[in-house]
Amino acid sequence: MSQDEIIEHAGQLLQAGKLVVIPTETVYGLGANALDVAAVEKIFAAKGRPSTDPLIVHVADRSHVHDLVERVSEAAEQLMSAFWPGPLTLIMTKSDRVPPQVTAGRDTVAVRMPDHELALAVIQAAGVPVAAPSANKFGRVSPTTPAHVAAELEGSYDLLVDGGTCTHGVESTILDTTSTPPRLLRPGSITVEQLESVVGPIETVQQVVSKDIAATSPGQLIGHYSPRTRVVVVDLDPVALANAAAQVGAALQGVHVLALPSDPTKAAQRLYSTLRHADGTNSDLIVAPRYENSGVGRAVNDRLFRSAHGDVVSVNDANQLIDALRPRLPRQ
Ligand code: TXA
Ligand code: MG
């Protein structure tokens, strides 16, 4: 099939209530017609996702937002002008058109317009808004390549639209525009600094996730983005951690030090494939670095923190690191 035929076919499948995997600039999404309850329910079943965790609705055109929401605040208008299409999801008060299954019964809906030609073309061809969570099993590492999607969900979707490797690598920034000031629910590659340059100060939440915060954005649970292997975050930057790696390897067995670039934007791009690779090395423990908590570094820290179930250790040197890792390993 030519690219145009694939787009056409994907649009027809979505209209018919089928599941279509779509590439986006962040991660791959498992898409369904957001207005078709039966189709939306298939997403939850395929992912093993609890029905209490709401979905993001994707649109191909800003004008379509008005069908999905009650009103668009001035801040939301400004943010859409500045960052759409792009990796920014806005929470707004929902309209009656959006089924409660999409929003997990909330009166708000998450909307975004992806910055990806294929995604936009497929949504356009479908002629409906497309609900799409990341195309992975619930709680697992998000997919940034078609192979990642197939490894987890093969057999549970009707079509996978191949768009190669996702360029950003971490999920969209989520901002709640129903509160004043707007509130950051998930950091992503549209940074706090960028958002504040458009709408002024926003509220950011502590990275330590309390039950209250989890209730605001259910996907923000510790333990999201987890490989099977235990992960620990070390309060060392990627260079310092890499420098300690040889000493750690000599002292301990079964430790895999994540090799991530110092540049947080590059780290975000490679984060999930690096975690997947590390998970495949048969190690007992994956050790991850920590980035400066600004810019895209905030998003990388967030995902690593969650993949480690909140296990972060502070160390000053390789010896302290070895001492901190030893009790996290099987007896050796
Ligand atoms: O980059 C992305 O956003 C990707 C691509 C596919 O677009 N999608 C994605 O979806 O990351 P998902 O389902 O993995 O994460 C959606 C997050 C969840 O944490 C969910 O709790 C939150 O969005 N969310 C959705 N609707 C919400 C709402 N009404 N209020 C608060 N949080 C909401
Ligand atoms: Mg997800």
Side-chain angles (χ1 to χ4, degrees), residues 4-325:
D4 285 350
E5 286 166 338
I6 291 169
I7 291 166
E8 194 57 35
H9 182 49
Q12 284 165 0
L13 288 172
L14 286 166
Q15 271 170 22
K18 307 284 188 194
L19 296 188
V20 176
V21 176
I22 53 169
T24 82
E25 79 280 36
T26 58
V27 300
Y28 274 79
L30 181 62
N33 177 355
L35 307 178
D36 179 339
V37 171
V40 167
E41 281 172 344
K42 285 187 204 163
I43 293 179
F44 287 90
K47 279 186 62 105
R49 179 176 175 119
S51 60
T52 49
D53 194 359
L55 304 175
I56 296 174
V57 180
H58 298 69
V59 295
D61 193 304
R62 229 174 109 171
S63 65
H64 296 157
V65 172
H66 296 277
D67 298 336
L68 304 171
V69 306
E70 232 2 70
R71 62 183 166 277
V72 179
S73 68
E74 204 188 314
E77 287 285 3
Q78 291 169 337
L79 291 162
M80 287 191 275
S81 299
F83 301 114
W84 279 16
L88 174 65
T89 296
L90 299 174
I91 307 289
M92 294 181 254
T93 305
K94 83 183 230 6
S95 75
D96 293 341
R97 274 196 90 195
V98 182
Q101 285 81 358
V102 171
T103 65
R106 287 154 192 271
D107 59 7
T108 55
V109 62
V111 190
R112 100 172 183 94
M113 180 171 160
D115 185 16
H116 194 291
E117 220 178 301
L118 262 177
L120 293 173
V122 169
I123 300 165
Q124 197 80 51
V128 292
V130 174
S134 50
N136 51 278
K137 288 280 188 189
F138 180 70
R140 295 283 167 208
V141 179
S142 298
T144 53
T145 68
H148 294 168
V149 178
E152 285 202 26
L153 293 178
E154 178 112 76
S156 44
Y157 47 82
D158 299 283
L159 177 70
L160 189 159
V161 179
D162 188 338
T165 301
C166 301
T167 49
H168 288 271
V170 289
E171 303 81 352
S172 60
T173 304
I174 304 182
L175 191 72
D176 185 353
T177 66
T178 65
S179 56
T180 315
R183 206 148 60 104
L184 183 77
L185 298 183
R186 179 173 74 185
S189 46
I190 301 291
T191 64
V192 169
E193 295 81 355
Q194 284 177 295
L195 296 171
E196 290 190 329
S197 75
V198 173
V199 290
I202 63 169
E203 195 188 324
T204 56
V205 286
Q206 280 293 315
Q207 222 190 7
V208 177
V209 175
S210 72
K211 286 215 168 67
D212 296 353
I213 297 165
T216 321
S217 192
Q220 288 301 77
L221 294 170
I222 286 191
H224 237 71
Y225 316 109
S226 295
R228 290 188 163 70
T229 313
R230 180 173 179 178
V231 179
V232 59
V233 173
V234 182
D235 198 9
L236 290 176
D237 66 49
V239 174
L241 180 59
N243 288 339
Q247 236 178 296
V248 169
L252 302 169
Q253 276 171 21
V255 175
H256 183 93
V257 174
L258 274 191
L260 284 170
S262 323
D263 173 16
T265 302
K266 292 201 180 96
Q269 286 164 352
R270 293 184 214 159
L271 180 63
Y272 292 136
S273 47
T274 305
L275 272 174
R276 272 171 200 273
H277 166 76
D279 210 13
T281 58
N282 243 329
S283 306
D284 297 310
L285 186 63
I286 296 170
V287 183
R290 202 154 163 82
Y291 288 79
E292 200 183 307
N293 212 37
S294 63
V296 181
R298 188 187 280 266
V300 177
N301 283 341
D302 172 75
R303 304 308 190 274
L304 286 173
F305 177 78
R306 288 174 207 290
S307 70
H309 296 252
D311 188 13
V312 181
V313 294
S314 282
V315 298
N316 295 315
D317 57 35
N319 287 325
Q320 284 184 9
L321 176 57
I322 290 162
D323 289 342
L325 299 182

